């Protein structure tokens, strides 16, 4: 396959389903009943808490913890910080840290460790400036072992929300920092305060997590989790049916939706689908080629049948989303009008914008430019592939080649 360039992205096309997590469980099949066998398409990575891919978020969350996190109803609740105070001008946050917390190597979690991690993150600020809190942090201090102070350049309402994220504001033991102190280069080993410890990894085969017996909170009932590397969704389903793994959990794509429905209908397994957790969106480059034109982007919205995709690709395990964020989220109930599915309207918009078909069923052109797009997707994800094919077919019907 020819290598394709990844183009910059700066607008979103409303693909429009809300993403849920699938859960399929069978009683543990390992000889050791305190071991859970799971799978993932690749290894979990070096688990640097301050970096991104190839570190896998689910595994980072097993090892590292935040100061605060989300609770029921979207409330911010204490975690490694027991409490906090915000100054009247909104620019200073003073966190009181939980007592008795240790990293998995036995070293103490304290304000100096928090500051060391914040300093390492801010030293690599350009890598993290997608998260706006990085742009407003003015400084940090550790007045005493239990007190961490965060100072902002300007009041920033979502400060606590940003600190809940899986990365980058989580905490590596100072003992695991590299000699340079620059975690953007590497870490000695993944040592956090979380309930799990990465004990062993074998490339392209497995990762082993063991329970952190020094964990300050409720300890997992399972002593060990073995994450087997199974890149292919069909292979994962076969491994589950043949009792080589106990659990399939994650977003659609872990296995095919049709396979999930088959498992659910069999009556042999416990299966669940979560409430919506995120929105699927297709990113569009509005600075290059045909999609620079607003008319083309509007036509794409009208040409795509979300309901048909939800039924045909997702087997109704996901719901239609007409906006990027659910109206249930804060500040998002702003009465946006959704684009209706209407291929006729899409074609009319393109005609008026000067994109003409040279013959019936042909790809539209304007001058010497063809109305053609490249669509990049994750090739070994069955859902991504099906969505790409569905999108390709819908655009082709209105004269857009994908």
């Amino acid at each position: 396959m020819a290598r394709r360039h990844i183009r910059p992205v700066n607008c979103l096309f409303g693909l429009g389903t809300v993403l849920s997590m699938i859960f399929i469980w069978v009683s543990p099949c390992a000889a050791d009943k305190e071991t859970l066998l799971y799978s993932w398409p690749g290894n979990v990575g070096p688990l640097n808490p301050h970096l991104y891919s190839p570190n896998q978020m689910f595994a980072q969350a097993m090892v590292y913890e935040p100061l605060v996190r989300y609770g029921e109803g979207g409330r911010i609740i204490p975690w490694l910080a027991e409490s906090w105070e915000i100054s009247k001008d909104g620019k200073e946050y003073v966190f009181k840290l939980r007592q008795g917390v240790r990293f998995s190597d036995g070293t103490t979690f304290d304000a100096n460790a928090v500051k060391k991690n914040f300093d390492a993150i801010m030293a690599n600020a350009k890598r993290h400036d997608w998260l706006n809190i990085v742009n407003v942090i003015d400084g940090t201090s550790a007045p005493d072992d239990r007190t961490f102070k965060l100072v902002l350049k300007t009041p920033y309402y979502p400060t606590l929300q940003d600190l809940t994220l899986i990365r980058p504001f989580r905490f590596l033991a100072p003992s695991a920092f590299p000699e340079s102190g620059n975690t953007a280069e590497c870490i000695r080993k993944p040592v956090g305060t979380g309930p799990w410890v990465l004990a062993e990894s074998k490339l392209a085969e497995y990762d082993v997590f063991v329970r952190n017996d020094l964990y300050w909170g409720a300890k997992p009932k399972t002593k060990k989790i073995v994450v087997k590397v199974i890149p292919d969704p069909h292979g994962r389903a076969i491994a589950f049916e043949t009792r080589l793994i106990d659990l399939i959990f994650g977003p659609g794509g872990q296995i095919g939706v049709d396979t999930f429905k088959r498992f659910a209908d069999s009556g042999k397994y416990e299966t669940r689908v979560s409430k919506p957790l995120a929105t699927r969106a297709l990113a569009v480059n509005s600075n290059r080629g045909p999609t620079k034109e607003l008319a083309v982007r509007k036509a794409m919205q009208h040409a795509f049948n979300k309901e048909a995709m939800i039924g045909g690709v997702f087997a109704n395990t996901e719901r239609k989303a007409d906006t990027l964020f659910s109206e249930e989220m804060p500040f998002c109930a702003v009465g946006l009008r959704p684009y209706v599915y209407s291929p006729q309207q899409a074609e009319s918009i393109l005609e008026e914008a000067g994109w003409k078909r040279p013959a019936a069923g042909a790809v539209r052109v304007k001058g010497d430019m063809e109305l053609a797009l490249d669509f990049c997707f994750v090739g070994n994800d069955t859902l991504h592939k099906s969505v790409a094919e569905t999108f390709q077919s819908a655009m082709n019907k209105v004269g857009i080649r994908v």
Side-chain angles (χ1 to χ4, degrees):
M1 180 180 293
R3 182 182 298 275
R4 295 194 183 275
H5 296 290
I6 298 176
R7 300 172 179 172
V9 165
N10 53 13
C11 75
L12 294 171
F13 170 72
L15 190 60
T17 74
V18 284
L19 172 64
S20 301
M21 304 292 274
I22 61 170
F23 177 101
I24 311 173
W25 167 265
V26 67
S27 298
C29 52
D32 177 2
K33 296 298 183 181
E34 293 185 317
T35 297
L36 177 69
L37 302 176
Y38 181 48
S39 69
W40 199 250
N43 287 98
V44 299
L47 295 195
N48 186 327
H50 305 154
L51 291 182
Y52 305 91
S53 181
N55 302 289
Q56 296 299 307
M57 284 199 292
F58 83 89
Q60 285 172 301
M62 293 169 68
V63 173
Y64 303 106
E65 298 183 294
L67 291 174
V68 294
R69 62 181 296 177
Y70 281 110
E72 289 294 325
R75 293 183 304 107
I76 301 294
I77 62 173
W79 207 249
L80 291 179
E82 286 186 328
S83 63
W84 56 91
E85 293 182 0
I86 306 172
S87 64
K88 288 184 178 179
D89 64 3
K91 294 198 289 186
E92 294 185 359
Y93 287 70
V94 178
F95 297 90
K96 284 296 180 184
L97 304 182
R98 189 179 296 277
Q99 289 184 299
V101 177
R102 287 186 287 170
F103 289 99
S104 61
D105 66 354
T107 56
T108 300
F109 172 80
D110 58 17
N112 289 317
V114 174
K115 177 172 171 51
K116 188 176 181 70
N117 277 264
F118 267 75
D119 289 348
I121 294 162
M122 295 306 296
N124 192 28
K126 285 188 177 180
R127 181 66 183 84
H128 309 299
D129 64 5
W130 63 273
L131 187 62
N132 201 47
I133 189 174
V134 170
N135 302 314
V136 299
I137 290 178
D138 195 33
T140 62
S141 63
D144 59 57
D145 287 348
R146 284 198 61 210
T147 306
F148 172 70
K149 185 176 181 179
L150 176 65
V151 180
L152 308 180
K153 300 171 186 175
T154 184
Y156 180 58
Y157 174 81
T159 294
L160 296 176
Q161 285 84 347
D162 283 4
L163 294 180
T164 67
L165 298 178
I166 290 174
R167 54 198 186 191
F169 289 102
R170 298 204 177 187
F171 305 103
L172 176 72
S175 58
F177 272 62
E179 188 173 340
S180 67
N182 185 359
T183 56
E185 296 174 352
C186 66
I187 60 175
R188 293 181 189 273
K189 60 188 299 189
V191 181
T193 62
W196 296 98
V197 177
L198 180 62
E200 183 185 357
S201 290
K202 190 164 185 180
L203 187 63
E205 292 192 29
Y206 60 79
D207 299 286
V208 178
F209 293 86
V210 296
R211 185 170 63 199
N212 176 11
D213 288 328
L214 297 179
Y215 187 52
W216 61 270
K219 293 178 178 60
K221 295 180 180 179
T222 301
K223 285 186 176 180
K224 183 189 295 186
I225 295 178
V226 177
V227 184
K228 297 189 176 186
V229 176
I230 305 178
D232 178 60
H234 299 294
R236 192 170 297 114
I238 292 170
F240 181 76
E241 286 188 286
T242 56
R243 307 297 296 275
L244 294 178
I245 59 175
D246 304 313
L247 171 71
I248 296 174
F249 173 80
Q254 286 288 309
I255 57 172
V257 175
D258 54 343
T259 305
F260 173 75
K261 296 291 284 185
R262 176 168 63 81
F263 285 158
D265 293 342
S266 72
K268 297 179 181 178
Y269 312 110
E270 182 176 346
T271 61
R272 299 178 195 167
V273 177
S274 76
K275 293 180 180 179
L277 297 173
T279 308
R280 294 185 185 272
L282 190 157
V284 175
N285 185 353
S286 60
N287 279 331
R288 179 171 176 165
T291 50
K292 288 176 67 174
E293 288 192 33
L294 178 61
V296 172
R297 301 197 301 271
K298 283 186 174 181
M300 289 165 60
Q301 295 274 13
H302 287 295
F304 196 75
N305 189 341
K306 299 175 188 177
E307 296 282 11
M309 182 185 67
I310 290 168
V313 175
F314 295 100
N316 296 309
T317 58
E318 299 194 4
R319 297 207 318 256
K320 183 181 176 186
D322 286 319
T323 54
L324 180 59
F325 298 109
S326 166
E327 291 193 346
E328 297 173 2
M329 294 185 69
F331 316 118
C332 292
V334 293
L336 295 176
R337 180 181 297 177
Y339 289 89
V340 298
Y341 170 60
S342 174
Q344 297 79 13
Q345 191 169 347
E347 296 208 63
S348 175
I349 290 171
L350 293 172
E351 286 286 336
E352 291 176 11
W355 292 98
K356 306 293 183 180
R357 285 188 192 260
V363 176
R364 294 179 181 274
V365 294
K366 181 193 283 190
D368 60 355
M369 181 181 287
E370 186 181 50
L371 187 45
L373 315 173
D374 286 339
F375 183 8
C376 301
F377 63 95
V378 179
N380 64 355
D381 186 310
T382 55
L383 280 181
H384 281 205
K385 186 172 188 294
S386 296
V387 167
E389 290 171 344
T390 303
F391 177 73
Q392 180 186 51
S393 175
M395 296 304 108
N396 181 62
K397 290 176 181 177
V398 299
I400 302 175
R401 182 172 66 81
V402 176

